[in-house]
């Protein structure tokens, strides 16, 4: 199939590349000429395991190309995916201006001679956005143009995006247009995954409902963790015990500092806003947000309690990215933790396997902070080690080396990645979440 993708962010670039990988002919469009140049030079502007290799091989095979021209995208793709940002607005609603602009641009490139086109929304959008896209294209396209609109939400996770795209749990295709649905099913034929066909509103809603449910699982286990702490139970055992029930499942029951990233915080806010706009306020999600915000404060209090004051204390901070396997620091709880400690006068020596450069650029970190590629270097003379991100490198660290290098052997593990018994056996005074 001939596919175009408008927007080469996480979702656009990885899905375009994976469509090419399964044999489709893909044109990726981005209005940022520098980004397109970088991609044409064979470089990938984001860190995502496995992606750079796939971009290279598919460009070489002639199945993947990059351009700044929407016109070229509309000409070359029978199916045109919209994968542009849908950022939050201060009131929690979603800024849909990029989607609207792309819908207009697509409309203005269509002519009756172009032939039937499918316009697919892949970005996370509020329910009923598809209707607006359809109206906009109809309004701005010349008369006689034929097109169908589809919602095809993306469920990839950063850090394992390529695998999530090539081996998805499910594919959701929502449309009220049979011709569009048939073309979408053809696109997904090479993928071994169940396909759920719905109306367009349901497909849009599935994305917000899924992300909110996952965030709810995280806040649920974090609330349970606090009860564990107060009662002497172990949240890891509790998560295991409840997760063994197939109806619940163990995934997304990792207690810690709470969720961050470019999706959950924004999507939960958006879903709260959408539900209110529809006259069906979703109070449960407000509680999910509030538990999430409290996790960071509770953790900071734990550190404060032991250190007494942060001023002039040297803290080794392991983790800047919002989770493992990514360099993304957007809405990262580790970054928020770092900001707070710096504000209170701590001297922070930070490390992260991928997030140092992005933290320097986007982390808004002001104060006495130094960055270190070597995790052990951060520990020299430090008053405490604080872990903010669940990198496997941190989980496998040499505990005796940690003990040797710290000035005082205090360890605060915000992601429960170290084993408490091992930490104590190594002579560390170890604090974690819910155990
Ligand atoms: C999330 C969803 O998992 C994807 O399915 C979805 O496609 C994506 O949002 C999106 O909307 O685009 P992502 O934000 O990449 O993916 O990251 P997750 O792996 O979901 O982690 C989100 C946050 O939750 C991280 O801060 C992570 O540390 C935290 N988390 C995750 C926990 O605190 N506990 C857990 O058990 C799991």
């Amino acid at each position: 199939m001939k596919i175009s993708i408008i927007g080469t962010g996480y979702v656009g670039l990885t899905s375009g590349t994976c469509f090419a990988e399964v044999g489709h002919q893909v044109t990726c469009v981005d209005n940022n000429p520098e980004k397109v140049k970088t991609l044409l030079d064979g470089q990938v502007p984001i860190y995502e395991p496995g992606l750079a290799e796939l971009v290279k091989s598919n460009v070489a095979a002639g199945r993947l190309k990059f351009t700044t021209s929407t016109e070229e995208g509309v000409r070359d793709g029978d199916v045109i995916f919209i994968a542009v940002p849908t950022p939050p607005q201060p009131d929690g609603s979603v800024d849909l201006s990029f989607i609207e602009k792309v819908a207009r641009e697509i409309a203005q490139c269509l002519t009756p001679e172009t032939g039937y086109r499918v316009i697919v929304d892949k970005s996370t959008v509020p329910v009923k956005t598809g209707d607006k896209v359809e109206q906009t294209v109809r309004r701005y396209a010349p008369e006689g143009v034929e097109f169908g609109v589809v919602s095809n939400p993306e469920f990839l996770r950063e850090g394992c995006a390529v695998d999530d795209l090539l081996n998805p749990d499910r594919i959701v295709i929502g449309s009220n247009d049979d011709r569009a649905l048939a073309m979408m099913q053809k696109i997904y034929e090479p993928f071994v995954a169940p396909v759920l066909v719905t109306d367009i509103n349901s497909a849009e809603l599935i994305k917000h409902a899924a992300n909110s449910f996952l965030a709810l699982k995280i806040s649920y286990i974090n609330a349970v963790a606090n009860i564990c702490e107060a009662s002497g139970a172990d949240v890891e055992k509790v998560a295991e015990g409840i997760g063994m029930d197939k109806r619940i499942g163990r995934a997304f029951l990792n207690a810690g500092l709470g969720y961050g990233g470019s999706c959950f915080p924004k999507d939960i806010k958006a879903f709260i806003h959408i539900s209110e706009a529809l006259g069906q306020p979703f109070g449960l999600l407000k509680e999910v947000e509030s538990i999430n915000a409290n996790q960071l404060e509770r953790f900071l209090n734990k550190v404060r309690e032991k250190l007494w004051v942060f001023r002039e204390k040297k803290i080794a901070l392991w983790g800047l990215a919002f989770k493992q396997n990514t360099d993304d620091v957007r809405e990262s709880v580790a970054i928020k933790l770092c900001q707070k400690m710096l504000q209170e006068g701590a001297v922070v020596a930070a490390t992260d396997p991928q997030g140092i450069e992005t933290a320097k650029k986007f982390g808004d970190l002001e104060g006495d902070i130094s960055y270190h590629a070597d995790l052990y270097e951060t520990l020299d003379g430090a008053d405490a080690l604080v872990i903010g991100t669940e990198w496997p490198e941190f989980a496998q660290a040499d505990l005796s080396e940690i003990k040797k290098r710290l000035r005082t052997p205090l360890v605060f593990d915000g992601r429960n990645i170290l084993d408490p018994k091992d930490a104590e056996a190594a002579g560390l005074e170890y604090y974690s979440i819910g155990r």
Side-chain angles (χ1 to χ4, degrees):
M1 298 282 288
K2 289 195 210 144
I3 296 175
S4 290
I5 316 253
I6 319 272
T8 57
Y10 261 102
V11 170
L13 180 60
T14 32
S15 38
T17 307
C18 291
F19 282 141
E21 177 67 12
V22 300
H24 297 306
Q25 197 65 39
V26 180
T27 304
C28 285
V29 182
D30 201 290
N31 62 3
N32 179 344
E34 268 169 45
K35 203 169 186 187
V36 170
K37 188 178 174 307
T38 307
L39 289 162
L40 287 171
D41 289 346
Q43 276 159 3
V44 172
I46 49 174
Y47 172 76
E48 186 58 46
L51 183 61
E53 294 79 353
L54 281 192
V55 170
K56 228 174 251 163
S57 61
N58 282 286
V59 168
R63 284 190 300 265
L64 180 62
K65 63 174 183 167
F66 299 97
T67 174
T68 51
S69 160
T70 305
E71 201 172 354
E72 195 178 329
V74 172
R75 189 191 61 214
D76 290 353
D78 294 324
V79 179
I80 304 158
F81 286 81
I82 303 177
V84 293
T86 51
Q89 310 207 81
D91 67 352
S93 63
V94 182
D95 176 359
L96 292 169
S97 57
F98 297 112
I99 300 262
E100 192 268 350
K101 185 163 178 273
V102 170
R104 255 187 301 128
E105 281 172 5
I106 294 172
Q108 284 157 355
C109 295
L110 289 168
T111 68
E113 291 72 47
T114 317
Y116 180 79
R117 288 289 183 271
V118 181
I119 300 168
V120 189
D121 178 37
K122 221 178 205 333
S123 308
T124 303
V125 293
V127 60
K128 296 176 105 59
T129 301
D131 290 352
K132 296 274 187 213
V133 168
E134 176 145 16
Q135 272 170 26
T136 305
V137 176
R138 182 76 58 219
R139 196 168 294 146
Y140 286 91
E143 227 159 278
V145 158
E146 281 189 300
F147 68 96
V149 174
V150 170
S151 163
N152 172 221
E154 184 46 62
F155 301 103
L156 67 81
R157 289 163 298 172
E158 288 181 23
C160 44
V162 170
D163 191 49
D164 281 351
L165 270 158
L166 293 174
N167 306 295
D169 282 355
R170 79 307 207 180
I171 291 154
V172 174
I173 306 173
S175 184
N176 308 330
D177 179 323
D178 288 342
R179 194 166 167 194
L181 283 174
M183 284 167 79
M184 290 300 291
Q185 275 167 318
K186 200 144 184 55
I187 286 183
Y188 281 108
E189 241 165 42
F191 295 81
V192 188
V195 176
L196 178 70
V197 174
T198 70
D199 59 283
I200 196 156
N201 288 345
S202 303
E204 288 168 340
L205 203 77
I206 284 169
K207 177 63 199 253
H208 271 133
N211 272 7
S212 298
F213 192 79
L214 291 168
L216 178 134
K217 275 189 104 174
I218 298 170
S219 279
Y220 185 87
I221 200 65
N222 281 334
V224 170
N226 299 340
I227 300 169
C228 288
E229 247 170 55
S231 61
D234 178 346
V235 73
E236 296 299 322
K237 289 286 169 216
V238 175
E240 198 181 332
I242 59 179
M244 284 164 98
D245 185 328
K246 288 197 189 74
R247 295 169 302 174
I248 298 174
R250 174 65 183 79
F252 275 68
L253 289 179
N254 295 325
L257 289 168
Y259 60 79
S262 65
C263 303
F264 285 175
K266 158 180 95 97
D267 291 351
I268 280 62
K269 270 200 174 45
F271 206 29
I272 290 173
H273 195 272
I274 294 160
S275 63
E276 278 166 6
L278 292 168
Q280 307 298 326
F282 204 156
L284 178 61
L285 295 184
K286 287 196 173 159
E287 191 56 26
V288 168
E289 275 192 321
S290 129
I291 293 170
N292 199 56
N294 281 343
Q295 279 311 100
L296 176 59
E297 271 317 305
R298 286 187 100 258
F299 183 72
L300 272 165
N301 281 339
K302 214 178 268 183
V303 187
R304 281 189 199 108
E305 203 181 295
K306 300 295 159 198
L307 285 181
W308 195 5
V309 284
F310 272 117
R311 190 155 302 282
E312 291 173 12
K313 296 279 163 56
K314 181 179 171 188
I315 308 289
L317 174 65
W318 286 9
L320 294 162
F322 85 97
K323 64 169 192 180
Q324 58 175 305
N325 288 332
T326 182
D327 63 353
D328 197 342
V329 296
R330 287 175 290 175
E331 291 291 317
S332 164
V333 187
I335 292 279
K336 288 184 187 160
L337 177 65
C338 186
Q339 283 167 341
K340 296 252 183 188
M341 295 192 298
L342 288 170
Q343 276 158 17
E344 290 183 35
V347 178
V348 176
T351 187
D352 190 284
Q354 293 296 333
I356 291 179
E357 291 314 313
T358 39
K360 281 184 189 166
K361 241 177 160 167
F362 309 112
D364 212 6
L365 295 169
E366 278 170 25
D368 198 341
I369 179 163
S370 57
Y371 300 92
H372 306 258
D374 174 23
L375 67 158
Y376 296 107
E377 207 179 278
T378 60
L379 302 165
D380 292 329
D383 297 284
L385 163 63
V386 170
I387 301 176
T389 309
E390 62 274 40
W391 281 97
E393 285 88 334
F394 302 160
Q396 288 145 19
D398 180 342
L399 298 175
S400 56
E401 191 66 19
I402 297 178
K403 166 82 169 80
K404 203 164 83 191
R405 298 223 189 181
L406 280 172
R407 181 159 62 190
T408 46
L410 276 170
V411 176
F412 299 91
D413 179 358
R415 296 290 176 184
N416 284 3
I417 54 173
L418 300 182
D419 184 90
K421 282 205 186 90
D422 293 349
E424 271 149 38
L428 298 168
E429 194 179 326
Y430 176 77
Y431 300 93
S432 54
I433 311 272
R435 53 182 190 171

